[in-house]
C-alpha cells in the first residue's frame, strides 16, 4: 500500500460526504439519501468512483433530476495520484482550490501536520460551510475561504504546494504562480474545450518561470469562471443546411484518433484554439455519427456527418469566419506528423509573459499564449489568517525576481 493509500484509509471519506448525494440513473442525476437508502449511500462512498455532492450549482430543477454535476468528491485512486504528484511534506504551507466536501483538505492537513498549514478555497458558500463543519467534526483545521480560487489567497502566501481540484481551461490563473515560493510545486487538471485534459504538475523555478509535464486523462469540473457550456453557440438547422459544403478524406480510423484521449485528442484540442466538440453517436442510425465543432466567440461552426456504413466520403458543413473542420484536420495532421504524441510527451513553460505548451523539448511549440501582465504587487493590509503569525510575514510575493 502506498503512503497515500494508507492515509486515505486513515481519513475516512464517509465523514465528509453529505447525507444527500446524486446518482446518474441514465435520465440525469437523482438524489440518494443516506437515511432512505443507507446501503446505497455507503456503497457509493466506498466505491473507487467520484461521488456527486451537488448538481446544477445547488439548484436542481423541480422534479429533482439534476442536469450537470457542480461539485463532487473525487475518485479515491485519482486523489491518491494527485497527492503523489503534489508530494506535500510535513510543515508545508498548502493552498487547495476547490474545497468541495473538505476530504482532500483533511488529507493535506493530516500530511503537513501541526507544523504545516492548509488553506482551501471554495467558490460556493453552502459547500464551503458544509466543508468547515465536516472538517471541524473530524478534528482537522484547514482554513476554508469562500471565494474565487482563481485569485488564490495572497494573505496566506507564499505556498510550498498548490493543488486545484477544479480544472483549468487553457490559461493558468496568474495569481497561482505569483503566490508560490520558488522551488514549490503545483498540480491541477488542465484541458481545453475540445478535450477534458490531463493532470499537470508544475515546478516553480528561478525568475518566476514554471515548467511542467502532463500525464493521464482526467475529467474534472472547470473552475467556475472558466466554464463554457458544451453547446455554447449553435446555428439553426437552416444555417447549417446553407453552410459551405465539402467532403473530407478522413475515415473512421482518423476520427477514432481525433476523439481518443489516449491518441490525438489532447494535442488536437491544444492546437485547435477555443473550440468545443460535441459528438452524437448513431444520430442517424447505427454507425452514422455527427461531430460538431463550435467557437461561440467568432460564431464559427462545423458539422461532420460520418456514415461508417457507406464508403462515400464524409460530408462537412462549415460556417463563420473560422473553418473549424479544416483547422481540426490541420491539427490532426500536425499530431500525426509528430509521431502521434499522447499527453506524456507534452510539457509546459510559464513565464510572467507567456504560457507555452511544447512537445518533447521546449523548442517544438504546440501552442503559445501571451499572458496579461500580473496585477501590481500590493502590500497586504489584511490580518494574518494564522493565529500565531503576524500579517507582515505573509505578504504575497508577486513576481519578485529570485
Ligand atoms: C471536484 S470538486 C472538489 C473536490 C474536493 N477537493 C473534495 O475533496 O471533495 C471541485 C470543486 O471546485 C469548486 N470550484 C469550482 N470553481 C471554483 C473556483 N473558481 N474557486 C473555488 N472553488 C471552485 C466547485 O464548487 C467544486 O466544489
Amino acid at each position: 500500500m502506498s503512503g497515500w493509500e494508507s492515509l486515505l484509509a486513515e481519513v475516512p471519506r464517509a465523514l465528509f460526504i453529505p447525507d444527500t448525494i446524486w446518482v446518474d440513473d441514465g435520465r440525469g442525476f437523482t438524489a440518494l439519501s443516506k437515511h432512505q437508502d443507507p446501503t446505497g449511500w455507503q456503497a457509493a462512498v466506498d466505491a473507487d468512483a467520484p461521488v456527486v455532492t451537488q448538481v446544477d450549482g445547488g439548484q436542481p430543477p423541480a422534479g429533482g433530476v439534476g442536469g450537470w454535476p457542480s461539485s463532487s468528491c473525487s475518485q479515491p485512486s485519482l486523489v491518491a495520484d494527485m497527492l503523489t504528484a503534489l508530494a506535500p511534506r510535513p510543515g508545508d504551507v498548502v493552498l487547495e482550490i476547490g474545497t468541495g466536501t473538505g476530504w482532500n483538505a483533511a488529507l493535506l492537513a493530516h500530511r503537513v501536520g501541526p507544523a504545516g498549514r492548509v488553506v482551501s478555497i471554495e467558490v460556493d458558500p453552502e459547500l464551503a460551510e458544509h466543508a468547515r463543519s465536516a472538517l471541524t467534526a473530524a478534528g482537522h483545521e484547514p482554513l476554508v475561504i469562500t471565494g474565487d480560487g482563481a485569485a488564490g489567497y495572497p494573505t496566506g502566501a507564499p505556498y510550498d504546494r498548490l493543488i486545484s481540484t477544479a480544472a483549468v481551461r487553457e490559461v493558468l490563473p496568474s495569481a497561482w504562480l505569483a503566490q508560490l515560493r520558488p522551488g514549490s510545486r503545483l498540480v491541477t487538471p488542465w484541458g481545453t474545450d475540445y478535450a477534458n485534459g490531463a493532470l499537470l504538475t508544475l515546478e516553480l523555478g528561478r525568475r518566476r518561470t514554471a515548467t511542467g509535464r502532463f500525464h493521464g486523462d482526467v475529467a474534472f469540473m472547470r473552475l467556475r469562471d472558466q466554464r463554457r457550456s458544451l453547446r455554447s453557440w449553435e446555428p439553426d438547422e437552416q444555417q447549417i443546411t446553407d453552410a459551405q459544403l465539402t467532403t473530407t478524406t478522413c475515415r473512421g480510423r482518423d476520427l477514432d484518433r481525433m476523439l481518443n484521449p489516449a491518441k490525438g485528442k489532447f494535442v488536437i484540442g491544444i492546437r485547435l484554439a477555443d473550440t468545443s466538440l460535441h459528438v452524437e453517436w448513431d444520430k442517424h442510425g447505427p454507425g452514422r455519427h455527427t461531430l460538431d465543432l463550435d467557437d461561440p466567440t467568432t460564431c464559427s461552426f462545423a458539422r461532420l456527418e460520418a456514415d461508417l456504413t457507406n464508403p462515400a466520403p464524409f460530408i462537412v458543413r462549415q460556417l463563420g469566419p473560422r473553418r473549424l473542420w479544416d483547422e481540426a484536420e490541420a491539427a490532426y495532421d500536425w499530431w500525426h506528423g509528430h509521431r502521434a504524441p499522447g499527453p506524456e510527451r507534452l510539457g509546459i513553460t510559464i513565464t510572467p509573459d507567456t504560457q507555452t505548451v511544447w512537445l518533447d523539448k521546449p523548442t517544438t511549440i504546440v501552442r503559445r499564449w501571451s499572458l496579461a501582465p500580473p496585477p501590481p504587487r500590493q502590500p497586504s493590509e489584511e490580518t494574518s489568517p494564522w493565529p500565531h503569525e503576524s500579517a507582515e510575514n505573509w505578504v504575497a510575493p508577486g513576481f519578485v525576481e529570485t
Side-chain angles (χ1 to χ4, degrees):
M1 203 184 247
S2 84
W4 283 108
E5 282 162 346
S6 56
L7 193 72
L8 260 55
E10 280 169 42
V11 181
R13 194 188 195 200
L15 299 180
F16 296 88
I17 307 285
D19 291 352
T20 299
I21 59 175
W22 297 83
V23 180
D24 188 356
D25 66 0
R27 296 174 302 138
F29 289 89
T30 50
L32 190 161
S33 153
K34 183 179 183 178
H35 304 297
Q36 287 164 2
D37 183 0
T39 315
W41 186 91
Q42 193 63 51
V45 172
D46 291 343
D48 186 25
V51 176
V52 176
T53 52
Q54 188 197 63
V55 292
D56 302 323
Q59 296 180 321
V65 180
W68 52 280
S70 44
S71 189
S72 65
C73 189
S74 309
Q75 181 177 359
S77 53
L78 183 54
V79 169
D81 272 2
M82 290 177 76
L83 291 173
T84 303
L86 189 71
R89 303 151 300 183
D92 274 347
V93 181
V94 182
L95 178 64
E96 181 194 34
I97 314 299
T99 316
T101 61
W103 186 46
N104 199 48
L107 291 164
L108 288 165
H110 203 67
R111 172 53 55 99
V112 302
R117 303 182 188 104
V118 177
V119 183
S120 184
I121 310 178
E122 172 54 55
V123 73
D124 184 301
E126 268 185 44
L127 296 173
E129 199 42 52
H130 168 87
R132 278 188 204 102
S133 309
L135 284 161
T136 305
H140 300 281
E141 292 181 340
L143 178 69
V144 177
I145 302 293
T146 306
D148 180 4
Y153 185 61
T155 313
Y159 300 100
D160 302 297
R161 296 286 186 266
L162 188 154
I163 182 167
S164 178
T165 57
V168 169
R169 175 182 161 271
E170 298 198 354
V171 175
L172 202 86
S174 61
W176 292 1
L177 293 184
Q179 291 170 30
L180 282 174
R181 203 190 283 286
S184 56
R185 188 177 288 191
L186 180 156
V187 172
T188 183
W190 186 97
T192 60
D193 284 333
Y194 183 90
N196 284 324
L199 275 185
L200 168 63
T201 305
L202 271 174
E203 307 256 346
L204 183 64
R206 294 178 61 78
R207 300 190 179 280
R208 309 306 300 171
T209 295
T211 313
R213 305 293 301 206
F214 298 93
H215 78 275
D217 166 40
V218 294
F220 269 79
M221 46 199 68
R222 290 269 163 75
L223 281 170
R224 212 159 267 200
D225 65 344
Q226 293 192 340
R227 274 182 201 155
R228 293 211 303 188
S229 156
L230 286 177
R231 288 326 281 264
S232 37
W233 178 78
E234 194 186 358
D236 62 34
E237 284 305 318
Q238 191 57 49
Q239 286 173 294
I240 298 173
T241 307
D242 294 344
Q244 182 199 44
L245 187 134
T246 51
T247 58
T248 173
T249 53
C250 268
R251 299 302 305 168
R253 193 176 64 156
D254 303 305
L255 289 182
D256 168 58
R257 291 169 175 161
M258 292 173 93
L259 299 177
N260 190 328
K263 297 180 182 169
K265 193 175 185 186
F266 188 62
V267 168
I268 291 168
I270 297 170
R271 299 276 300 176
L272 193 56
D274 299 322
T275 302
S276 299
L277 165 73
H278 184 81
V279 183
E280 278 189 73
W281 302 105
D282 302 324
K283 184 177 181 185
H284 300 295
R288 300 177 65 193
H289 316 305
T290 300
L291 182 155
D292 290 350
L293 298 170
D294 75 276
D295 170 17
T297 311
T298 61
C299 293
S300 303
F301 178 87
R303 171 166 291 173
L304 174 83
E305 302 281 1
D307 184 352
L308 302 182
T309 65
N310 185 337
F314 300 158
I315 288 171
V316 178
R317 290 189 166 81
Q318 303 187 79
L319 61 91
R322 290 178 67 190
R323 287 292 177 259
L324 292 175
W325 177 256
D326 299 348
E327 288 187 34
E329 278 196 5
Y332 173 61
D333 290 344
W334 191 95
W335 170 79
H336 203 249
H338 288 81
R339 294 184 293 113
E344 291 72 17
R345 280 180 55 200
L346 266 56
I348 189 168
T349 302
I350 307 177
T351 70
D353 306 319
T354 56
Q355 173 178 294
T356 308
V357 173
W358 40 265
L359 172 66
D360 297 330
K361 55 185 191 309
T363 46
T364 308
I365 295 173
V366 182
R367 186 164 163 213
R368 173 169 282 164
W369 293 258
S370 290
L371 304 180
R377 182 181 173 187
Q378 299 285 348
S380 171
E381 289 176 2
E382 292 183 56
T383 50
S384 166
W386 317 113
H388 52 285
E389 294 285 348
S390 78
E392 270 175 3
N393 295 336
W394 293 99
V395 172
F399 282 109
V400 180
E401 294 287 320
T402 56

